[in-house]
Amino acid sequence: IKPTFYHLDKFMNEQIKILLVLSLALSTFTMINCEPKPEPQNSVPEEMNEEEISSSELLKQLDSQDVFIRSQATIQLGSRKEKASIPKLRSLLKDKEPGVRAGAAIALGELSDKKSTADIALLLGSDKENPKEVYLDALARMKDPSAGSRITPILNSEDATLRLIAV
């Protein structure tokens, strides 16, 4: 003979099953219908978008009086691997503006201009306006083994970040 609450237990189990199925269905419905809305497409026609500045224009911008324009031109020329910019970039390593010097160093590193290694390594030790990380980055991009002897002393630096970059 089964206890009388057996039927109550069976009824409760059925109710739990129904609740679980409904809960799963609701969760699935919510996930399907709550996807993020797609980003609106650019309404400006392709031909009206700002055109990329030519390399020759960027070379002219290296002589700009505007510090921001000069420093941005250094970075863009380096990322484009514009070899014609190397002589001007070398001269910008002596610019009075720290952002321009930093941009020129990074660009020369991108261009793998090994003739600039000594000048960039000199800035690593002498430029008090830019962080040493900038010049370490430039030397790392250059991949010039001759820079190793100038980087090695940084391994003894108290600054853990500099030591990490030097490695």
Side-chain angles (χ1 to χ4, degrees):
I1 299 178
K2 296 180 184 172
T4 57
F5 56 85
Y6 173 77
H7 294 293
L8 183 59
D9 249 2
K10 188 175 178 184
F11 177 74
M12 292 291 281
N13 283 338
E14 291 297 319
Q15 293 290 20
I16 291 173
K17 286 179 188 176
I18 291 170
L19 283 174
L20 286 174
V21 169
L22 287 174
S23 175
L24 181 61
L26 182 61
S27 296
T28 305
F29 177 79
T30 303
M31 287 174 34
I32 291 171
N33 291 312
C34 291
E35 292 181 16
K37 294 183 179 179
E39 295 287 324
Q41 294 295 324
N42 188 355
S43 60
V44 178
E46 191 80 22
E47 55 272 3
M48 291 186 72
N49 285 340
E50 187 176 323
E51 290 185 25
E52 186 176 293
I53 299 172
S54 69
S55 293
S56 61
E57 182 61 31
L58 287 171
L59 284 166
K60 291 176 189 172
Q61 288 182 357
L62 292 177
D63 294 319
S64 172
Q65 295 300 311
D66 186 314
V67 175
F68 180 77
I69 289 174
R70 232 171 34 247
S71 62
Q72 288 301 304
T74 62
I75 300 295
Q76 288 185 29
L77 288 164
S79 67
R80 291 182 188 185
K81 309 272 191 223
E82 187 63 53
K83 297 280 187 189
S85 66
I86 290 175
K88 184 64 180 174
L89 290 170
R90 285 180 189 156
S91 71
L92 290 176
L93 289 174
K94 296 175 177 76
D95 196 276
K96 64 180 179 179
E97 295 296 333
V100 175
R101 289 193 304 272
I106 296 294
L108 289 164
E110 280 291 320
L111 289 160
S112 301
D113 181 48
K114 294 182 182 10
K115 289 182 181 178
S116 301
T117 301
D119 292 332
I120 294 171
L122 183 65
L123 286 169
L124 175 66
S126 66
D127 189 342
K128 304 301 180 206
E129 294 178 286
N130 280 316
K132 291 183 183 304
E133 290 92 332
V134 169
Y135 300 115
L136 281 173
D137 182 23
L139 291 170
R141 291 171 191 249
M142 198 166 297
K143 298 176 183 163
D144 184 357
S146 71
S149 63
R150 297 178 177 169
I151 295 173
T152 305
I154 294 174
L155 294 173
N156 296 321
S157 171
E158 291 180 18
D159 185 334
T161 303
L162 284 178
R163 288 194 313 266
L164 183 62
I165 293 171
V167 174

